[in-house]
Amino acid sequence: RQSHKRKREDAEDDAGAACGTAQNVWSDCCKETLVTGAQIDARLDELAVQIAEKHRGLPRPLVVVPILKGGVFPGVELVKRLGAKGCPCRLDFLWLASYQGTSSTGNVRLLADLQSSIEG
């Protein structure tokens, strides 16, 4: 039991150190807010209105495809807003990568494809 507890504490210390390092790197490179949360919310509202008007009455739900991992939260918010406007939709995801560490390789790799057909 003592050994297990010590391993857990060591792992927590390592995770805390890694988070602290990442936080320092982030604060060093990003000194100003480029887009506020309110601006993102407003744009998602605008997109939901435009998309709902254009795709209202489709025979099947609209498929929203955010790119993992950064597109998850805006994608979910867009789906919620579309649903509130009477536009049935569902989520599917693509997972793409072009970075190795903190540098772009210049090549986009497909790590995970859509799980369902988007024909139609």
Side-chain angles (χ1 to χ4, degrees), residues 2-98:
Q2 197 67 342
S3 169
H4 176 70
K5 182 179 178 187
R6 183 72 225 141
K7 286 179 185 174
R8 189 181 77 229
E9 288 170 354
D10 288 345
E12 289 169 357
D13 288 344
D14 290 345
C19 288
T21 302
Q23 236 172 359
N24 292 339
V25 168
W26 180 254
S27 65
D28 287 345
C29 74
C30 299
K31 304 254 185 238
E32 65 183 281
T33 301
L34 301 177
V35 181
T36 67
Q39 289 172 309
I40 294 169
D41 279 340
R43 184 62 181 135
L44 284 169
D45 286 338
E46 292 170 6
L47 285 171
V49 168
Q50 292 170 356
I51 293 168
E53 286 174 359
K54 185 172 182 176
H55 296 287
R56 187 166 288 133
L58 289 177
R60 295 185 299 174
L62 183 68
V63 181
V64 175
V65 182
I67 307 300
L68 293 176
K69 299 182 183 176
V72 170
F73 295 113
V76 167
E77 284 300 316
L78 182 59
V79 166
K80 290 190 317 191
R81 291 162 200 227
L82 286 168
K85 300 207 176 316
C87 183
C89 53
R90 62 184 176 83
L91 280 169
D92 204 344
F93 299 94
L94 284 175
W95 189 358
L96 305 175
S98 65

